[in-house]
Amino acid sequence: MTAADATADPILCRLSDALGGLEPRGLPPVESWNPPYCGEIDMRIAADGTWFHNGSPIRRPALVKLFASLLRKEPDGRIVLVTPVESVGIAVDDAPFLAVEMAVEGTGEARRLAFRTNVDDLVPLDTEHALRFEQDRDGGLRPYIHVRRGLWALMTRALTYDLVEMGEEREIDGTRWFGLAAGGAFHRIAPAEAA
């Protein structure tokens, strides 16, 4: 997302303001790089968004943001860090990003949502950035938003509660669904009898 994009969209501008006026950065064109795959490295993104290298957390936010900008999901499902000269696989416990903040404007299908990730990506809910909902092994709800390149952000627990609070029931094709109206669409969360 460019700086002009963030300033042109009021809901993204609100999230951008939370970053202290930092200019949104451009992303490297990793989708156009085709370097050789050089194997796995000992790097892992934990389910809580913490990055680890050789078993130790990476404590420099700028370094985490740099690595995050180089992520790509391969056709076989692997998550890799890509540079013009090499591609290396990393482990991702759940999703490579964590959605940590949300801005909301309006109600119903006219409602607009935008999210900030743990690496300061600003993501509006729209056709390019869809929501998806999964149930974990314990039956809990796990919402995600598409960030880029097939990479998703898991919502924090607080954001999950906020999304559910905005939920409603609707009948779709003869089935009652619990879901969320936003971005001009109804996003199904679960069948109403399961919600």
Side-chain angles (χ1 to χ4, degrees):
M1 166 164 302
T2 67
D5 293 337
T7 57
D9 188 332
I11 194 166
L12 292 178
C13 189
R14 284 183 26 215
L15 288 176
S16 182
D17 289 345
L19 298 177
L22 294 177
E23 287 290 313
R25 67 191 186 289
L27 293 169
V30 300
E31 59 280 347
S32 65
W33 296 340
N34 295 305
Y37 181 69
C38 299
E40 302 285 316
I41 61 170
D42 188 6
M43 186 172 282
R44 177 176 72 91
I45 305 173
D48 69 358
T50 303
W51 286 60
F52 290 87
H53 182 255
N54 291 332
S56 297
I58 300 173
R59 301 210 183 272
R60 293 180 48 209
L63 190 56
V64 168
K65 289 177 188 180
L66 172 65
F67 288 146
S69 74
L70 299 173
L71 288 177
R72 181 170 78 190
K73 185 172 184 176
E74 300 291 63
D76 64 6
R78 278 181 301 148
I79 306 284
V80 295
L81 286 172
V82 182
T83 71
V85 296
E86 70 178 350
S87 168
V88 294
I90 66 169
V92 179
D93 290 356
D94 190 335
F97 306 114
L98 193 63
V100 296
E101 187 176 2
M102 176 174 64
V104 180
E105 287 182 354
T107 60
E109 288 189 15
R111 179 184 293 131
R112 296 181 60 223
L113 301 177
F115 300 88
R116 183 178 65 83
T117 70
N118 59 319
V119 292
D120 294 335
D121 285 302
L122 302 179
V123 185
L125 174 61
D126 58 22
T127 55
E128 185 180 333
H129 304 97
L131 283 177
R132 85 171 199 257
F133 298 88
E134 295 181 7
Q135 293 221 324
D136 60 23
R137 291 184 298 262
D138 302 325
L141 180 66
R142 298 180 68 81
Y144 299 82
I145 187 160
H146 180 250
V147 177
R148 63 176 176 271
R149 305 176 187 137
L151 302 171
W152 294 78
L154 172 66
M155 306 280 175
T156 62
R157 184 175 302 223
L159 289 184
T160 300
Y161 291 141
D162 290 343
L163 287 174
V164 169
E165 210 171 280
M166 289 185 271
E168 61 184 85
E169 286 188 24
R170 289 194 183 175
E171 186 168 323
I172 301 172
D173 298 327
T175 303
R176 296 286 304 164
W177 284 89
F178 180 75
L180 171 69
F186 184 72
H187 307 272
R188 298 178 198 185
I189 295 175
E193 65 272 3

